[in-house]
Amino acid sequence: MSENTTTTTTAPTENLRERALKLDATDPLAGRRALFALDDGVYLDGNSLGALPVHVPARVQDVLTRQWGELRIRSWDESGWWTAPERIGDRIAPLVGAAAGQIVVGDSTSVNVFKAVVAAVRIAGEGRDEILVDATTFPTDGYIASAAARLTGHRIVPVAPADVLAALGPRTAAVLLNHVDYRSGRLHDLPGLTAAVHAAGAVAVWDLCHSAGALPVGLDEHRVDLAVGCTYKYLNGGPGSPAYLYVAERHQAVFDSPLPGWNSHADPFGMTAGYAPADGSVRGRVGTPDIVSMLTLEAALDVWDGVSVDAVRAKSLALTDFFLECVEAYVPAGRVVSVTPAAHAERGSQVALRCAEAEPVMRRLIERGVVGDLRRPDVLRFGFTPLYVGFADAERAARILADVLAEVPAGDTVG
């Protein structure tokens, strides 16, 4: 979508408020909000850190006092600590369209990107020396991919997702792409780009940090090779909760991790000098998992029981549509520009508004209880988590945004 300056409309404020209440009253996911610890404000930063599910503290207390405090070392077996990375991976799998046995939870997104990119070029084989990387990617993906390229003797080729098709060729070994752009919220064509990568004989690696838990991904359906993602955004796993690695079943026998830790050994307690990789997704493990964070995530995933990702996607699109409509109705013409695509097929679950006065505006929004985030220098970013954000939240956020813009003079970038 080209950037379009919002224009005021004649939609009465009261009509939008009434519509919001009616939409919330008929929302099949509305009851999920009670599962989260939220205050009276509007939390629109779940695309950075998801809200706390209310039952999680008690579950973590059990991990600390009973499993660790009483059972101690016995919990590796009796409390299922040892199998947690694969067990929790199987719980995430349906949320990203994967069958069981292909996702392992552990380490950070950055570490998993490193594993995936190195493994991808090894799968691609000799004669290919280029790694295509999304030029608009979240910085760490680019940093890690560059390190992987140095390690494997490959060359990094930064390319915009729209230009991937033209950049693919016989030298392409792997392609690392973001499913949803973290800054603009643009949803990229995972099925089409994956097919094109395969047609070129290369391996597709996808970063799902801004899509998992917000929209259908279809890893198995679209034959994605490798994927990584975090769990502290739409999956609500908590700050720094462990990330995950997807290795398609067809690649697991040849998945060659650059970090062959003892946890991924075929006989981890044999303590042998030579490394022999385990079968299946266990090959993605490295060292001893962070059990407290791991089990916090496992507890948090309970909020997804009985939830359809398709229903989440439908509400996400309705919410972002409604928020954009409210912004258009309330905000003075010319003060903000949407950089989020209008087309549903190209939109994730956030709205990014370009605003020259973004820094003081976001600061004042947060002071008034509307929590989004700032992407310097001039982007106001609002994440819509359908499990706990409602239509009244969207209307209220847009109305307060208009009030704040009325107070912040155009051109005021200091505030």
Side-chain angles (χ1 to χ4, degrees):
M1 160 183 156
S2 60
E3 296 182 350
N4 294 311
T5 303
T6 59
T7 57
T8 56
T9 70
T10 57
T13 299
E14 195 61 35
N15 286 354
L16 288 172
R17 290 186 190 176
E18 290 174 359
R19 276 181 54 205
L21 294 175
K22 290 178 181 178
L23 288 166
D24 282 335
T26 58
D27 171 19
L29 295 176
R32 295 279 156 172
R33 185 186 183 98
L35 302 180
F36 294 89
L38 296 164
D39 54 26
D40 293 334
V42 180
Y43 188 63
L44 299 180
D45 210 5
N47 54 334
S48 282
L49 177 63
L52 170 71
V54 294
H55 70 279
V56 166
R59 293 277 290 278
V60 174
Q61 187 65 35
D62 177 72
V63 172
L64 296 175
T65 58
R66 184 182 65 84
Q67 296 181 32
W68 180 16
E70 297 174 16
L71 296 177
R72 294 179 288 277
I73 197 71
R74 292 160 52 195
S75 276
W76 285 104
D77 292 322
E78 295 180 26
S79 299
W81 287 3
W82 185 258
T83 57
E86 297 80 55
R87 181 179 71 245
I88 302 170
D90 284 347
R91 292 195 65 182
I92 292 172
L95 302 179
V96 292
Q102 299 177 101
I103 293 179
V104 64
V105 174
D107 306 310
S108 66
T109 302
S110 299
V111 172
N112 283 318
V113 168
F114 183 71
K115 297 179 206 172
V117 173
V118 173
V121 300
R122 290 173 175 174
I123 291 170
E126 297 181 359
R128 294 173 176 269
D129 63 355
E130 293 183 348
I131 302 172
L132 271 58
V133 177
D134 182 350
T136 63
T137 188
F138 189 77
T140 196
D141 285 19
Y143 306 155
I144 293 293
S146 294
R150 291 194 300 273
L151 175 71
T152 59
H154 286 63
R155 184 171 72 94
I156 287 290
V157 181
V159 58
D163 298 328
V164 167
L165 298 182
L168 289 168
R171 298 178 62 179
T172 307
V175 182
L176 172 62
L177 295 168
N178 285 265
H179 196 192
V180 173
D181 184 277
Y182 79 100
R183 192 180 275 110
S184 69
R186 178 177 292 277
L187 172 64
H188 298 304
D189 180 11
L190 181 147
L193 289 171
T194 300
V197 170
H198 289 167
V203 179
V205 182
W206 285 91
D207 182 329
L208 310 179
C209 286
H210 287 272
S211 59
L215 52 90
V217 177
L219 292 178
D220 287 353
E221 177 186 358
H222 304 305
R223 293 186 60 77
V224 168
D225 300 298
L226 301 160
V228 301
C230 68
T231 61
Y232 47 79
K233 294 181 172 63
Y234 297 107
L235 299 185
N236 311 295
S241 57
Y244 57 90
L245 170 68
Y246 164 88
V247 182
E249 185 176 10
R250 66 187 181 278
H251 293 311
Q252 289 178 1
V254 295
F255 178 81
D256 186 5
S257 174
L259 298 172
W262 78 284
N263 259 234
S264 61
H265 197 286
D267 183 15
F269 294 98
M271 305 300 172
T272 56
Y275 178 75
D279 294 330
S281 64
V282 177
R283 288 191 179 200
R285 294 175 65 153
V286 183
T288 305
D290 183 339
I291 288 299
V292 176
S293 288
M294 185 86 64
L295 299 186
T296 299
L297 167 63
E298 184 173 33
L301 290 171
D302 287 354
V303 300
W304 287 94
D305 291 347
V307 174
S308 159
V309 177
D310 288 334
V312 168
R313 176 59 169 165
K315 182 178 176 182
S316 164
L317 292 172
L319 273 172
T320 49
D321 277 344
F322 185 67
F323 178 70
L324 286 167
E325 180 182 351
C326 291
V327 169
E328 187 174 6
Y330 296 160
V331 173
R335 294 301 301 274
V336 298
V337 174
S338 175
V339 296
T340 298
H344 286 182
E346 299 176 1
R347 187 194 307 166
S349 197
Q350 71 181 52
V351 171
L353 302 176
R354 179 157 288 135
C355 174
E357 303 78 30
E359 192 163 352
V361 167
M362 183 55 70
R363 184 167 60 251
R364 295 195 188 195
L365 283 171
I366 292 172
E367 289 171 354
R368 297 190 184 193
V370 177
V371 180
D373 68 13
L374 171 72
R375 283 294 175 260
R376 292 188 176 90
D378 60 356
V379 172
L380 302 168
R381 198 177 68 152
F382 303 97
F384 290 83
T385 305
L387 293 188
Y388 54 77
V389 174
F391 293 89
D393 294 323
E395 188 275 336
R396 180 181 171 193
R399 180 162 31 89
I400 294 176
L401 172 61
D403 292 344
V404 167
L405 286 168
E407 298 169 2
V408 177
D412 180 3
T413 58
V414 179

